[in-house]
Amino acid sequence: MTYLVTGATGKAGRHVVSHLLQAGHHVRALTRDPVKAGLPPEVEVVAGDLTRPETLGPAFDGVTGVHLLTVGGDDYATLTTGPEIVELALKAGVRRATVLWNGQLGPVEEAVESSALEWTRLQPVDFMGNMLGWADAIRKDGVVREPFGDVRSAMVDEADVGAVAAVALAEPGHAGKIYTLTGPQALTPRERLAVIARTIGRELEFAELTEEEARERWRRAGHAEELVDLLAAWQGNPPPEAYTVVPTVAEITGRQPRTFADWVGRHAGRFA
Ligand SMILES: NC(=O)c1ccc[n+]([C@@H]2O[C@H](COP(=O)([O-])OP(=O)(O)OC[C@H]3O[C@@H](n4cnc5c(N)ncnc54)[C@H](OP(=O)(O)O)[C@@H]3O)[C@@H](O)[C@H]2O)c1
């Protein structure tokens, strides 16, 4: 079986790849730049851009299942090419798809879910990997400047997102399912910083930004206004799904979701 993983070089996609490999499958990875992909040697790396369907045809040859992103480009803009992507996949004989949503439904989900593909929609809350965005500040002066310091998120380890995607793609019984994915605890940014401080053995300070200061910083980072609104909504006034712990990771993978302390332990070198 060959599985095509889009976003394979990203935080979650790398884990989709590694879990499919561990299960003994052949993995093809799509990237805009194969030279920089840095994937294991047994992965077949192909060039393609989800915003340009004309680049995707060969990527689907002989593929049983595809793991799909719903946003593209470095500004995480919603992909409008869902119908073309699905048409190419179906024409190549692809049968199954996992779709990694981005907080709101868009053309990829709509096209996949109204098609003949056996689809599974993965709805992870914030990835623990987003905390790598704090690493420079922690290493530099130990002060993390962020908004919404007391708002909880049931952050999920992207390794668990990858594990669920691999099961949903390669095993039967997941068609038409929508899986909200969380970690085992809901923590505030201040609590997360305390976990990092304990792990690396340093005192760290949380300096709270106003929402407007945060929006300005996201814009300066090049984020599209659509993403700025989404970040502000999810971080400042999240829906209950964002902070309610659910057992889906354990139900699908058969193992408990990884804790934030575990994630920090595996990435401590990035903060020290
Ligand atoms: N981060 C979160 O908290 C979170 C929460 C819920 C859902 N999600 C969803 O999960 C997805 C993956 O997030 P992540 O944090 O793992 O992303 P990431 O680490 O920033 O990686 C982005 C990935 O998207 C690929 N990509 C971007 N534009 C592309 C295009 N035009 N064509 C093909 N590939 C393209 C990149 O591949 P190349 O650069 O190699 O081409 C890279 O593999 C996001 O897109 C988001 O929708 C994220």
Side-chain angles (χ1 to χ4, degrees):
M1 299 284 188
T2 295
Y3 292 97
L4 175 67
V5 179
T6 70
T9 62
K11 286 192 284 294
R14 287 188 185 276
H15 293 284
V16 183
V17 170
S18 64
H19 282 95
L20 286 169
L21 289 176
Q22 275 164 33
H25 300 293
H26 176 239
V27 179
R28 187 175 294 155
L30 186 90
T31 171
R32 289 164 299 171
D33 187 352
V35 175
K36 289 196 203 143
L39 287 160
E42 59 269 45
V43 175
E44 179 191 353
V45 179
V46 297
D49 185 330
L50 291 166
T51 64
R52 295 167 50 225
E54 69 277 12
T55 65
L56 300 176
F60 285 114
D61 279 352
V63 165
T64 301
V66 57
H67 176 72
L68 276 176
L69 295 179
T70 58
V71 298
D74 296 325
D75 59 358
Y76 297 89
T78 300
L79 283 170
T80 56
T81 46
E84 292 92 333
I85 293 170
V86 169
E87 194 186 328
L88 285 167
L90 287 172
K91 213 192 272 172
V94 177
R95 296 203 311 272
R96 209 174 269 172
T98 48
V99 180
L100 188 53
W101 86 320
N102 191 37
Q104 57 199 1
L105 291 183
V108 174
E109 291 93 328
E110 280 157 19
V112 169
E113 295 178 16
S114 61
S115 77
L117 290 165
E118 292 173 22
W119 56 266
T120 308
R121 192 200 304 160
L122 306 178
Q123 300 192 160
V125 298
D126 297 330
F127 294 171
M128 292 177 185
N130 295 348
M131 295 297 93
L132 291 175
W134 292 2
D136 285 350
I138 288 174
R139 284 197 311 272
K140 189 167 144 255
D141 60 5
V143 183
V144 166
R145 297 166 182 83
E146 291 290 332
F148 315 124
D150 298 310
V151 178
R152 288 180 190 283
S153 164
M155 286 194 140
V156 62
D157 191 321
E158 50 279 5
D160 288 331
V161 176
V164 170
V167 171
L169 260 187
E171 294 180 19
H174 304 283
K177 302 273 174 66
I178 297 173
Y179 292 141
T180 296
L181 306 177
T182 73
Q185 305 152 284
L187 298 174
T188 68
R190 287 181 209 281
E191 289 167 340
R192 279 177 247 144
L193 190 64
V195 173
I196 297 171
R198 269 200 304 281
T199 306
I200 65 172
R202 262 181 71 199
E203 227 168 84
L204 302 173
E205 183 191 335
F206 190 89
E208 183 146 343
L209 296 181
T210 65
E211 176 174 337
E212 201 35 59
E213 286 167 336
R215 282 176 171 271
E216 204 36 55
R217 196 176 66 186
W218 291 325
R219 286 186 197 112
R220 278 202 308 275
H223 294 335
E225 204 54 33
E226 176 192 32
L227 179 59
V228 170
D229 286 342
L230 194 65
L231 287 170
W234 269 87
Q235 293 187 19
N237 185 23
E241 305 86 88
Y243 51 81
T244 306
V245 170
V246 291
T248 321
V249 168
E251 287 169 356
I252 307 298
T253 66
R255 53 173 299 286
Q256 290 305 313
R258 294 159 172 91
T259 62
F260 185 61
D262 180 84
W263 181 92
V264 176
R266 295 194 330 268
H267 296 85
R270 301 285 294 274
F271 297 103

